[in-house]
């Protein structure tokens, strides 16, 4: 059964009640721990994993209502199923418990048949929530998963200041024509693995992959203290990883690959787009378009990383850059000052 072997925390200030509940839980095949008040319960919950909480209301030091309030405000504990077992009467108290996040309410003395049914239902709901959370983690970045867990899902966007990165492989079409499709897929898988590692390692989120190209966002959905610096640091690491990867390709007598990266910093509208059945986290705005133009322009300049003036001004850690003048990009009313980022020197 789904609930077999679950671990429960039983919280009650009455020792007889604790023993009766623990015996009932044990007969159902579950493991358990005991706490005599809300304070002890919270200490255990924050130091040990539990699948379900059986909670009394009237307790010394910290009552059940206060425990529910703290659980609701804790992102790590707010999804823990709670069944209130209490002698406190009155519809208002029951409604208050449910409003604070409890899944169910059983009056004392607790009926063992009802308790078994409610425990089973609560654990099944938890299993389904855990499976959904795992799917989100598997198919979304950790930052997007965290944003969904904290804020919930809603179509639409909000204005944020962030850094946008575009990158792709130079000469990819010709490379595809010169090798079997299976080898191209293997190359792309390795390329994306390396790029994702560099981007996520500096707080970025890959929001789009098309063929050999990708778009990444730094500063949303989770804010970064230095989005521009993080994006440039990621780009430099991407270049280093490609350089190391080319050593392996050279040893295997394969042609090296090169990438171009464009980064722009400014206001974007970031959020979930699509439908409630199928949505993705992305961003739009002039900053996004400029980052794409900068990446394309790396082919003209022959430089690996190009950034705009806002990104260059935001750099605070002494990253060497070179001014390349102004470029009249398509869609921009005025020419844009661009800068090339120099690769880090090896010790």
């Amino acid at each position: 059964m789904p609930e077999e072997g679950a671990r429960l925390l039983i919280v009650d200030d009455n020792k007889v009640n604790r023993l009766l509940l623990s015996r009932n839980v044990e007969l159902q095949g579950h493991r358990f721990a005991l706490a005599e008040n809300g304070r002890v319960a919270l200490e255990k919950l924050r130091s040990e994993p539990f699948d379900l909480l059986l909670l009394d209301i009237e307790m010394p030091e910290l009552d059940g209502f206060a425990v529910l309030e703290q659980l609701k405000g804790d992102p790590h504990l707010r999804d823990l199923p709670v069944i209130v077992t209490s002698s406190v009467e009155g519809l208002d108290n029951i409604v208050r418990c449910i409003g604070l996040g409890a899944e169910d309410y059983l009056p004392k003395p607790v009926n063992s048949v009802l308790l078994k049914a409610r425990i089973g239902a609560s654990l099944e709901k938890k299993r389904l929530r855990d499976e959904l959370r795992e799917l989100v983690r598997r198919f979304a970045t950790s930052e997007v998963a965290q944003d969904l867990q904290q804020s919930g899902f809603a179509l639409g966007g909000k204005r944020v200041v962030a850094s946008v990165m575009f990158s792709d492989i130079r000469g990819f079409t010709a490379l595809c024509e010169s090798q079997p499709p299976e080898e191209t897929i293997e190359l792309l898988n390795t390329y994306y693995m390396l790029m994702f590692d560099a981007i996520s390692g500096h707080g970025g989120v890959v929001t789009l992959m098309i063929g050999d190209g990708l778009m990444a966002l730094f500063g949303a959905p989770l804010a970064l203290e230095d989005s521009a610096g993080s994006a440039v640091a990621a780009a430099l690491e991407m270049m280093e990883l490609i350089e190391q990867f080319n050593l392996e390709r050279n040893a295997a007598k394969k042609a090296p690959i090169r990438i171009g990266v464009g980064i722009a910093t400014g206001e974007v509208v970031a959020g979930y787009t699509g439908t409630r059945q199928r949505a993705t986290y992305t961003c739009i705005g002039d900053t996004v378009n400029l980052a794409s133009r900068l990446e394309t322009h790396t082919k003209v300049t022959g430089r690996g990383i190009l950034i705009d003036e806002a990104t260059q001004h935001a750099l605070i850690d002494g990253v060497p850059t070179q001014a390349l003048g102004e470029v009249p990009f398509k869609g921009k009313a005025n020419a844009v000052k661009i800068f090339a980022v120099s690769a880090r020197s090896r010790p």
Side-chain angles (χ1 to χ4, degrees), residues 90-162:
L91 182 61
D92 290 344
N93 289 317
I94 297 175
V95 170
R96 184 181 176 189
C97 289
I98 301 301
L100 287 171
E103 294 206 0
D104 218 325
Y105 185 102
L106 292 176
K108 292 178 180 177
V110 177
N111 181 287
S112 59
V113 176
L114 271 179
L115 179 63
K116 182 177 181 179
R118 302 295 168 79
I119 288 176
S122 294
L123 290 174
E124 178 64 13
K125 290 179 183 177
K126 180 181 184 298
R127 183 185 68 81
L128 293 173
R129 282 197 298 264
D130 290 345
E131 286 185 356
L132 178 60
R133 187 177 293 110
E134 182 58 33
L135 282 173
V136 171
R137 286 174 180 161
R138 184 176 301 177
F139 294 104
T141 66
S142 59
E143 291 82 5
V144 170
Q146 184 176 342
D147 179 64
L148 285 170
Q149 185 175 356
Q150 292 178 348
S151 307
F153 172 76
L155 292 173
K158 58 182 180 181
R159 293 179 181 273
V160 295
V161 175

Side-chain angles (χ1 to χ4, degrees), residues 25 126 169 254 305:
V25 164
K126 180 181 184 298
I169 299 176
K254 296 179 179 179
I305 306 171

Side-chain angles (χ1 to χ4, degrees), residues 63-338:
D63 65 18
F65 292 125
V67 171
L68 288 170
E69 287 174 353
Q70 291 206 31
L71 294 181
K72 189 175 182 179
D74 189 327
H76 301 292
L77 296 175
R78 64 185 177 191
D79 288 334
L80 178 70
V82 180
I83 298 175
V84 172
T85 59
S86 177
S87 57
V88 174
E89 298 180 353
L91 182 61
D92 290 344
N93 289 317
I94 297 175
V95 170
R96 184 181 176 189
C97 289
I98 301 301
L100 287 171
E103 294 206 0
D104 218 325
Y105 185 102
L106 292 176
K108 292 178 180 177
V110 177
N111 181 287
S112 59
V113 176
L114 271 179
L115 179 63
K116 182 177 181 179
R118 302 295 168 79
I119 288 176
S122 294
L123 290 174
E124 178 64 13
K125 290 179 183 177
K126 180 181 184 298
R127 183 185 68 81
L128 293 173
R129 282 197 298 264
D130 290 345
E131 286 185 356
L132 178 60
R133 187 177 293 110
E134 182 58 33
L135 282 173
V136 171
R137 286 174 180 161
R138 184 176 301 177
F139 294 104
T141 66
S142 59
E143 291 82 5
V144 170
Q146 184 176 342
D147 179 64
L148 285 170
Q149 185 175 356
Q150 292 178 348
S151 307
F153 172 76
L155 292 173
K158 58 182 180 181
R159 293 179 181 273
V160 295
V161 175
S163 294
V164 182
M165 169 195 288
F166 277 83
S167 173
D168 77 354
I169 299 176
R170 294 286 165 261
F172 183 69
T173 302
L175 185 63
C176 290
E177 294 173 350
S178 67
Q179 62 186 21
E182 295 81 3
E183 195 170 321
T184 300
I185 293 297
E186 182 181 354
L187 168 62
L188 282 176
N189 286 337
T190 302
Y191 162 71
Y192 278 127
M193 178 187 67
L194 296 175
M195 300 302 97
F196 268 62
D197 185 75
I199 290 167
S200 62
H202 292 279
V205 176
V206 175
T207 60
L208 179 66
M209 295 184 295
I210 301 179
D212 62 311
L214 62 82
M215 181 177 79
L217 184 60
F218 294 79
L222 302 180
L224 291 175
E225 185 176 343
D226 178 17
S227 62
S230 297
V232 171
L236 288 168
E237 184 173 345
M238 290 160 64
M239 291 295 178
E240 291 178 357
L241 290 174
I242 291 298
E243 184 178 341
Q244 295 171 25
F245 179 49
N246 280 335
L247 294 177
E248 296 184 7
R249 289 182 62 82
N250 183 59
K253 301 188 183 305
K254 296 179 179 179
I257 64 172
R258 294 182 302 112
I259 64 172
V261 180
I263 299 170
T265 299
E267 187 177 76
V268 301
V269 177
Y272 299 95
T273 62
T275 68
R276 296 198 67 84
Q277 289 73 37
R278 186 177 179 86
T280 185
Y281 190 87
T282 189
C283 64
I284 60 173
D286 188 58
T287 301
V288 178
N289 298 332
L290 178 55
S292 176
R293 299 278 191 271
L294 287 166
E295 182 272 316
T296 301
H297 199 66
T298 60
K299 302 172 186 176
V300 177
T301 63
R303 309 299 289 268
I305 306 171
L306 293 181
I307 62 176
D308 69 338
E309 188 175 19
T311 303
Q312 198 270 342
H313 282 173
L315 296 178
I316 57 177
D317 60 354
V319 176
T321 61
Q322 179 184 355
L324 299 183
E326 297 184 347
V327 178
F329 287 126
K330 182 180 178 181
K332 300 290 290 184
N334 301 313
V336 176
K337 291 182 179 180
I338 68 171

